[in-house]
Amino acid sequence: MQLLLAVVCSGYAVGAALGWGSEELAEFMGDFGLSAAGLLAAVSCFTYARAIDSRERPAWLLFAFSSLMGGCGNAVWGWYEVVLGESVPKPSVADFAFLCFAPPAIVGLLVLAKRPVTRAGWVCLGLDSWLIGGSLLTLSWSLALAHAARTAQSGAPGSVPRAALSLAYPLLDIALVSMVLVLHFRRSEANRSAVNTAIAALALTVLSDALFTSPLLSAEYQSGQLLDAGWFAGSLLLAYAPWGARRIHGGLPVPEPAARARAERTHSRPITGSLPALTPYLAAAVCTLGILYNVVDGRKVDRIVVFTGCTVVLALVIRQGIMLLDNIALTQELAQKENHFRSLVQGSSDVIMIAAPTGTLRYVSPAAAGVYGREAEELVGTELAHLIHPDDLGRVVHEVRRFLAAPPTEEPTTRIECRFKSGEGVWLNVESTVNRHQGGLILNSRDVTERVRLQAQLQHSAEHDPLTDLPNRALFTRRVRQALTGRRAGDHSTAVLFVDLDGFKAVNDTIGHQAGDELLVEAARRLQDSVRAGDTAARLGGDEFAALILGDGSRDRSAREYQVHEIADRLRTTLSQPYRIAGSEVRVAASIGVAFADPGITPSDLMRNADLAMYRAKAGGKNRVEMYAPQMQDEVVRRTELAGRLRTALHDGEFALLHQPVVSLATGEISAVAAQARWRSAQGILFTPAEFLRVAAESGAGGRTAVPDASRTAELGRWLLEEAVGQAAERHRAGHDVPVAVRMTAQRLLDRSMPLGSVEALLTRHGLPSGALVLELAVSDPRVPFDDLERRLAALRRLGVLIALDGFGSGYAAIGALRRLPVDVLKLDRGLVEGVVESPRLHKITAGLLRIANDLGMQSAAEGVDLPEQVLALRAMGCTHGQGSAFSGPLDEYRLRRALVRGTFPVPGGAAQPAWAGGPSGGSMAIRRGSHNETPVPPA
């Protein structure tokens, strides 16, 4: 649009300069061409005024009316010259239209001007306008207007209208020029481009009017001359003004950031900013110089000039008085604000500093004495770089340069934290908010040393064990990740050691948790002292520790493994040394697992491998070092799969019930059968209770402890009791009156989740006769209440249930249970039977226990009788029943019934008379030891 505007205006100017080729075309272009340009400006301004909704709308409507009047005047002028071929009469309708051009434009400029806030501002606006207009009137009157006034006074016909018309044009132009100049210095920031273009268009029009009314051109002017190019360009420029600005800014007010940036550029040019204040004085000087010029030249000074000059001076005096009063009020307000802000700055606990662009401190608030321990006067003139810690200086300089290079509208402030040197030479942690200030910086700083120290403490607490102050699992994992990435990513000689203290639980249980904590602290100190400076020792939790041994870049894997194994073994020896705790000597051992950073391994996998190796060391006998091997993971997968199958094995019918005969050592007759559960895995392997419960415990606890799941054990116990009672009832109905023995722990018998009377209801439901069920009671927990257990057993004995004390001779409360509980059968532990032939000492102990049972009128049985020599020895001591592979292993139901039909097993040494016969029920006796190392079961 700008290029098109320039081409059209230039074309018109060239045509006017060349006379358009003919007088008729020159008159047509000089009249109707200007009329068309004025009408175009009117339509453009009117359309723009309807498209906007702001305080500028009336101004553009007035500009549209002003351009319409100019276009109509040129159209009337062309009607006379081009259509009628006559000279334009003076005055005419065209003169009326031209005179109506200036007043709307003047009012429109007043609308666009920045409105004063106070009455004094309005008065100053009027005075400024008169100062400019009066000076121009003085100058114009001296040069041309006085001649027109004298012509009106001559009394010639028609002289008065012509003189009035001659005076009206320049007076209105002077008023318009005054408003243009005043608006130029008082224009608002809204839609600035459009306003500037409109001012330029009106200024060009006024200039052309001034040239037209000058004595040099007015007499010789004809339509189509070069002077018309000024009016034409002014009209087109006014037509372009709103749309050119709309094209740049979308017809909207200039955004606030742009206005702020422009204001900053204005403040950076003090001479440009002071011109509005100097303009009235310059206008008065022009007026004064015009009068002095006439006086010095000897001309008669016109009264109009003297009157106008006096009013200009009077306006200047009034304006000066208003400005003086305004300055006094501003000075008082500035003093109050200065005192207010000085109180804020001096009373603030933050240190406010102003630094020059060179980095030199120009101002420091008094708070520096309390924050930095240095007086403000001491810091003024100091280089800021000399006060910042050398390690932080580079970062601070980089941040400041980046901040100063960023646009102020996008990043008005920034925040910098660094260490600042105090008066005592101590480095303080300082946080500063930084702002720009005349090319330099304003820093609002505060001491955050305590906050930084607290954050460091919190960070340390989050990453370290509170008891030993070693790195915890989170920090250890992060350091393992760092060791596997970055410049160490290709070093596969890095190793992780997992350490577990064997026997630590016993320390806690025997001498207390306080002693256990002291032992852990001492163990952590030994571990920390044993690793290198670059390595990491950590406590993962409980009595588990870990160490990260960074690689040395060695490519010899075997040599590196040997080296790390030596480190681990030395660490094991150190941790296994006696500890002096609470005045006594305590010993624990250390099981250590080692894993290396194989290519592509993740931190979690590396730590898992070390964990697996550590538990392999514990399973292999403890107090040893184990290197990770891939098959360890395969075993974990196998155990996990096995445990998964075990969870559903009971519901899927994968458990089988076997019975092992309990044989009379005197006659070989089957006196009872002991019920035993077996689990047949998918591979066809039969697992004993101890084996499959250990699998369940290891999978459930990640291989850490062999504690079976209590709910799974209880479910299996219920199944075993119901199956054993049900099959025993079927055998009784088939004519095999042999009691069945079922092992049950004291805790299970007293478990509140097991309904009280469930055993009684089970016997009633299956119709099992009295004396056909033997409960083998295992008492292994010291917390079992004997009073409750005694009452429960007494109730069962009243129903004819026989009670056998299982595992006698080992474990907890053997004598106490024998003394307190109503027991019918005493069952010797396998540990006593295994060495009864070889060990004289064990022989005497077993014989003594059997004499006690015989004296108390109890039956006796031995479990694990696997050799003929054991049968002979036990029979000679008075033991009458035995269970073991010397007679038979566990049998399925088919083989069991065949054995019951046969009735007896061969007895080594032939038949012998029993030491006693019969029990409390007067029948045969049934015993079953819950051993888990029974003879393998033959195929069913």
Side-chain angles (χ1 to χ4, degrees):
M1 289 182 64
Q2 296 174 354
L3 181 61
L4 178 63
L5 179 66
V7 169
V8 172
C9 292
S10 300
Y12 189 95
V14 171
L18 298 178
W20 297 104
S22 66
E23 185 177 350
E24 293 79 7
L25 182 59
E27 289 182 351
F28 181 84
M29 295 299 297
D31 295 334
F32 290 108
L34 293 180
S35 177
L39 293 176
L40 177 62
V43 172
S44 175
C45 293
F46 180 76
T47 304
Y48 178 70
R50 292 189 61 186
I52 63 174
D53 186 13
S54 65
R55 61 178 295 267
E56 301 176 11
R57 185 174 186 177
W60 292 103
L61 289 175
L62 290 170
F63 289 156
F65 180 76
S66 178
S67 299
L68 179 64
M69 291 295 99
C72 292
N74 283 301
V76 172
W77 198 290
W79 175 263
Y80 280 104
E81 286 189 341
V82 178
V83 178
L84 300 180
E86 300 177 0
S87 298
V88 181
K90 293 186 179 181
S92 66
V93 178
D95 293 321
F96 173 77
F98 288 143
L99 290 176
C100 290
F101 173 82
I106 293 173
V107 177
L109 291 174
L110 285 173
V111 173
L112 291 178
K114 184 186 296 183
R115 298 179 181 179
V117 180
T118 61
R119 292 182 179 179
W122 284 105
V123 173
C124 288
L125 176 63
L127 292 176
D128 290 345
S129 301
W130 174 244
L131 285 172
I132 297 174
S135 61
L136 293 177
L137 177 61
T138 302
L139 188 60
S140 300
W141 190 274
S142 300
L143 296 177
L145 298 183
H147 176 71
R150 286 192 294 269
T151 301
Q153 294 175 0
S154 63
S159 60
V160 175
R162 293 191 186 91
L165 189 61
S166 300
L167 291 175
Y169 279 118
L171 290 177
L172 289 175
D173 287 340
I174 289 173
L176 187 58
V177 168
S178 300
M179 291 309 305
V180 166
L181 291 176
V182 170
L183 180 61
H184 176 71
F185 298 116
R186 289 180 176 267
R187 61 187 179 275
S188 63
E189 295 296 335
N191 208 0
R192 187 167 183 139
S193 297
V195 174
N196 286 340
T197 307
I199 290 174
L202 295 176
L204 186 58
T205 302
V206 170
L207 178 61
S208 300
D209 287 345
L211 293 176
F212 172 74
T213 57
S214 66
L216 298 176
L217 298 178
S218 60
E220 300 179 358
Y221 171 76
Q222 292 182 357
S223 297
Q225 292 182 349
L226 186 60
L227 183 60
D228 293 345
W231 286 312
F232 183 81
S235 297
L236 289 187
L237 196 60
L238 186 59
Y240 163 79
W243 308 108
R246 189 184 184 91
R247 182 168 172 265
I248 297 174
H249 300 295
L252 299 174
V254 177
E256 185 64 23
R260 192 184 302 114
R262 189 180 298 113
E264 292 179 358
R265 291 196 299 271
T266 302
H267 290 313
S268 64
R269 299 194 297 262
I271 295 179
T272 304
S274 60
L275 283 178
L278 295 176
T279 300
Y281 304 100
L282 294 176
V286 170
C287 179
T288 304
L289 290 175
I291 297 174
L292 290 177
Y293 173 75
N294 290 326
V295 173
V296 172
D297 197 31
R299 299 178 183 178
K300 181 181 179 180
V301 181
D302 196 285
R303 286 178 294 176
I304 299 297
V305 174
V306 175
F307 177 78
T308 304
C310 292
T311 55
V312 168
V313 173
L314 180 62
L316 182 61
V317 172
I318 295 174
R319 187 183 189 281
Q320 187 65 28
I322 294 175
M323 294 301 296
L324 181 61
L325 294 176
D326 194 24
N327 287 339
I328 292 174
L330 289 176
T331 302
Q332 293 176 351
E333 183 180 358
L334 180 62
Q336 292 177 356
K337 290 184 177 180
E338 183 179 357
N339 292 332
H340 175 68
F341 286 109
R342 182 181 292 108
S343 300
L344 290 177
V345 171
Q346 293 180 352
S348 174
S349 60
D350 294 347
V351 180
I352 300 175
M353 300 182 292
I354 300 178
T358 59
T360 304
L361 293 177
R362 291 178 176 174
Y363 171 80
V364 179
S365 65
V371 176
Y372 299 146
R374 306 177 69 173
E375 296 297 331
E377 295 77 7
E378 179 185 351
L379 292 174
V380 173
T382 306
E383 292 286 340
L384 192 60
H386 295 163
L387 302 174
I388 299 175
H389 196 282
D391 295 342
D392 300 339
L393 183 59
R395 176 174 54 83
V396 173
V397 171
H398 174 76
E399 176 62 20
V400 169
R401 289 177 178 174
R402 186 203 61 77
F403 171 67
L404 294 177
T409 56
E410 296 180 3
E411 190 174 5
T413 63
T414 188
R415 181 170 295 179
I416 296 176
E417 188 169 331
C418 62
R419 285 168 288 181
F420 200 88
K421 192 173 185 179
S422 68
E424 300 176 356
V426 179
W427 293 103
L428 304 175
N429 294 93
V430 175
E431 182 185 65
S432 301
T433 302
V434 184
N435 296 270
R436 299 172 181 84
H437 176 69
Q438 298 180 357
L441 300 171
I442 294 180
L443 297 96
N444 191 350
S445 306
R446 62 200 62 86
D447 183 10
V448 294
T449 304
E450 288 301 322
R451 189 195 71 187
V452 171
R453 184 179 294 115
L454 179 59
Q455 288 177 345
Q457 291 177 355
L458 293 176
Q459 183 72 16
H460 183 85
S461 300
E463 295 180 340
H464 289 76
D465 176 58
L467 178 63
T468 63
D469 203 40
L470 289 180
N472 59 13
R473 183 181 293 272
L475 180 57
F476 183 76
T477 304
R478 185 162 68 250
R479 291 188 178 177
V480 171
R481 183 178 297 107
Q482 293 171 355
L484 298 182
T485 57
R487 62 184 181 88
R488 293 185 176 272
D491 187 0
H492 306 309
S493 59
T494 296
V496 169
L497 280 63
F498 266 42
V499 183
D500 186 83
L501 299 182
D502 303 323
F504 174 75
K505 184 177 183 301
V507 175
N508 271 343
D509 294 340
T510 54
I511 60 177
H513 290 276
Q514 179 65 33
D517 290 345
E518 294 180 15
L519 189 148
L520 290 175
V521 171
E522 177 61 22
R525 186 192 62 77
R526 295 184 185 183
L527 178 62
Q528 184 68 49
D529 293 342
S530 300
V531 299
R532 300 172 302 180
D535 298 334
T536 300
R539 183 191 178 204
L540 305 183
D543 60 343
E544 291 187 356
F545 295 86
L548 172 64
I549 309 299
L550 296 178
D552 56 1
S554 174
R555 296 184 178 274
D556 189 348
R557 180 63 179 265
S558 59
R560 180 59 176 168
E561 288 183 358
Y562 179 77
Q563 180 184 6
V564 173
H565 192 282
E566 279 193 337
I567 295 174
D569 197 60
R570 186 167 60 250
L571 179 60
R572 180 193 61 80
T573 304
T574 301
L575 294 176
S576 300
Q577 295 295 324
Y579 295 83
R580 195 70 182 176
I581 304 297
S584 60
E585 188 176 276
V586 178
R587 289 181 178 270
V588 294
S591 296
I592 301 178
V594 182
F596 282 91
D598 294 327
I601 196 170
T602 63
S604 58
D605 289 343
L606 179 58
M607 296 173 64
R608 180 206 61 196
N609 294 346
D611 196 20
L612 290 176
M614 185 263 289
Y615 283 106
R616 173 57 68 87
K618 293 178 71 69
K622 302 182 180 180
N623 193 21
R624 58 197 300 268
V625 176
E626 189 75 31
M627 307 292 288
Y628 171 77
Q631 56 267 28
M632 295 181 184
Q633 180 63 23
D634 297 337
E635 293 178 4
V636 172
V637 173
R638 183 186 64 81
R639 286 199 304 268
T640 303
E641 294 176 352
L642 198 60
R645 289 287 308 277
L646 180 60
R647 293 187 184 96
T648 59
L650 191 60
H651 300 285
D652 294 344
E654 296 182 8
F655 275 93
L657 185 64
L658 303 180
H659 295 84
Q660 188 173 25
V662 180
V663 179
S664 170
L665 297 183
T667 64
E669 295 180 356
I670 300 176
S671 302
V673 290
Q676 298 177 1
R678 294 292 186 271
W679 174 46
R680 188 182 300 276
S681 68
Q683 293 78 17
I685 302 174
L686 283 174
F687 290 94
T688 64
E691 290 170 337
F692 60 69
L693 290 178
R694 183 172 61 251
V695 168
E698 290 177 353
S699 63
R704 299 181 178 223
T705 57
V707 179
D709 185 6
S711 61
R712 197 170 301 150
T713 305
E715 186 178 5
L716 179 61
R718 285 194 296 269
W719 175 86
L720 177 62
L721 181 61
E722 290 184 4
E723 283 292 314
V725 172
Q727 292 186 17
E730 291 180 1
R731 286 193 297 271
H732 272 267
R733 285 191 289 270
H736 303 292
D737 299 331
V738 179
V740 62
V742 181
R743 187 175 187 271
M744 181 178 292
T745 63
Q747 294 89 334
R748 177 62 188 156
L749 191 61
L750 295 177
D751 189 359
R752 293 185 178 180
S753 63
M754 181 178 179
L756 184 67
S758 58
V759 177
E760 294 86 340
L762 189 63
L763 295 175
T764 303
R765 185 168 72 248
H766 289 282
L768 193 65
S770 176
L773 176 64
V774 180
L775 288 182
E776 296 182 348
L777 188 66
V779 184
S780 58
D781 192 339
R783 294 171 295 181
V784 173
F786 276 110
D787 294 338
D788 296 342
L789 184 59
E790 184 178 4
R791 286 192 294 270
R792 181 74 177 120
L793 294 179
L796 291 174
R797 290 189 78 215
R798 285 195 293 269
L799 294 176
V801 177
L802 301 180
I803 307 299
L805 186 59
D806 187 33
F808 191 76
S810 66
Y812 166 77
I815 301 300
L818 190 62
R819 179 176 61 87
R820 297 280 306 275
L821 302 179
V823 178
D824 300 304
V825 180
L826 185 66
K827 192 169 184 179
L828 296 179
D829 185 70
R830 173 183 289 271
L832 298 176
V833 176
E834 288 177 346
V836 72
V837 177
E838 295 84 358
S839 173
R841 185 182 184 89
L842 197 58
H843 187 280
K844 292 180 179 181
I845 294 175
T846 305
L849 294 176
L850 290 172
R851 280 196 300 271
I852 292 175
N854 191 22
D855 293 342
L856 293 176
M858 298 179 183
Q859 300 185 34
S860 62
E863 182 188 8
V865 182
D866 300 331
L867 301 175
E869 295 82 357
Q870 295 173 347
V871 176
L872 297 175
L874 291 170
R875 187 169 61 185
M877 294 178 194
C879 181
T880 58
H881 293 82
Q883 171 187 342
S885 58
F887 306 105
S888 173
L891 303 175
D892 59 18
E893 187 66 19
Y894 174 74
R895 286 185 171 81
L896 175 62
R897 293 203 179 192
R898 287 181 57 187
L900 292 176
V901 171
R902 188 171 63 246
T904 60
F905 287 96
V907 178
Q913 292 297 323
W916 47 265
S921 61
S924 61
M925 185 275 303
I927 311 263
R928 147 91 163 98
R929 153 72 176 142
S931 169
H932 310 301
N933 296 311
E934 293 87 347
T935 305
V937 180

